[in-house]
Each structure stands twice: as structure tokens, then as C-alpha cells.
Amino acid sequence: MKLVLLGAPGAGKGTQAEILCKKLNIPTISTGNILRAAVANGTPVGLKAKEYMDKGALVPDDVIIGVIKERLAEPDCKNGFILDGVPRTIPQAQALEDGGVHIDCALSIEIADETIIERMSGRRTCPACGASFHVVSNPPRKQGVCDACGGELTIRKDDAPETVKARLVTYHRETEPLKDFYAKRGVLKTVDNRPSIEATTQAICETLGI
């Protein structure tokens, strides 16, 4: 299955992608993780991307598409993949399509902006290993400490309320139109956000028929 996950920042795409990746045995391609690795490593692409990410703006298409196409050419993507966080704009979706990347399903997780602002202010990330937690819905076993590697958990700058609001404005303007793009191709499915991660996963599995 070649799957694209759509939804506002904080809709739970990353968490659900991780679950689906194990269920379907296909890799998750998360632009956020690829770009954050480039930023952490101080690569030229990473430094270029950092300027945009710090402002809550979108990273330019040429940077994104280059990184993604390289990744999709790797052997583990042969039987399918889950794209999380890309495409973010219609030109990106068109560039992927023009580059021979065809999608079986675009799944949009629907959630209110207010819920997202509340949810993201509770998100905690481990800078050492990239693991993600939430103080309410997915707390670490020990407060402030990563379950996976014991690193200190932090609030990412792009999870701060003022950045989240800026990202939501960008999402509604740039990314939400993708629903129409994929609906016209007959591959759009939508799922309403549920109160728990498990309930949302169940709704997604029912929608995908897996």
C-alpha cells in the first residue's frame, strides 16, 4: 500500500504512521524526521531548512522532493510506504505524481484547531533518539525522561503555542487543498479524530479495510 497521511500539524499522523508501519510492514517516510536529522547534522540542506522551520514556514519544494524521491528509491519501499508530512502543497503532490510516485490512498485525519493547540502544548520529544510523548495521552514512565534511551525530554520550538498557530494558518492555506487534489483522483478517505490513539487507529484500520 502506498499511503499518504494528511491532517493538520498535531493531528496524530506520526503516531498513526508508526502503528500502521508495523501493521502493514512498510516503512514510514517522515519528512519531519529526515529534515530534523539534516538540521541536527548541520548539513547544507539542513541549515537551509532550519531557517524556514524556525519561522513555522514551509521548507521549499525542491529540498523536500529531492529528499523524498531519494528515500523512495531504497529497497525497503518496494512493497509500499507511508508518507507522513509530505506532500504539503499541491505543487509537491504534482511533482511526486510527475516523478512516477503514485498513491493508493490519501487518508486525512480530521481534527479541530483548538484540540491541536491544546494537544501540541503537551507534546515532549527526546532530542537524542527522536521518541515522542505527550503529558496526557502518552506520558513517559518517568516525568521528563525518555522511555527509550533515558534522554531528557524537551518541548520542540515548533510545538510552542505561537508557532502552532502560525503552522495552522499555513496548513489551512497550503495543505488542506490537497484533500480536493486527491478526491479528484478518487483516493481520498477521511477519519475523524477520536479521544484516544487506539480508537483513532481502529477507525483508520476500518476505513482502510486492514
Side-chain angles (χ1 to χ4, degrees), residues 51-102:
E51 291 174 30
Y52 294 88
M53 289 161 77
D54 282 350
K55 286 183 257 181
L58 293 173
V59 177
D61 288 358
D62 57 336
V63 178
I64 300 280
I65 299 302
V67 169
I68 293 298
K69 284 186 72 178
E70 244 177 34
R71 179 67 186 87
L72 294 181
E74 291 181 23
D76 64 339
C77 293
K78 193 173 60 169
N79 296 322
F81 50 80
I82 300 164
L83 289 180
D84 166 24
V86 70
R88 283 193 177 178
T89 61
I90 286 176
Q92 282 183 7
Q94 194 65 60
L96 285 172
E97 205 172 77
D98 295 346
V101 178
H102 297 294

Side-chain angles (χ1 to χ4, degrees), residues 18 22 124-133 138-142 144-153:
E18 214 174 283
K22 288 173 187 157
R124 301 290 181 270
T125 307
C126 176
C129 75
S132 191
F133 300 89
N138 182 31
R141 284 192 293 270
K142 187 178 175 190
V145 178
C146 175
D147 290 353
C149 74
E152 186 184 346
L153 299 178

Side-chain angles (χ1 to χ4, degrees), residues 5 9 20 48 53-54 65 82 85 105 111 116 125 157-158 161 169 176 204:
L5 288 183
L20 289 170
K48 193 173 167 188
M53 289 161 77
D54 282 350
I65 299 302
I82 300 164
C105 175
I111 182 169
I116 284 174
T125 307
K157 188 174 177 181
D158 54 358
V169 169
E176 206 162 23
I204 288 171

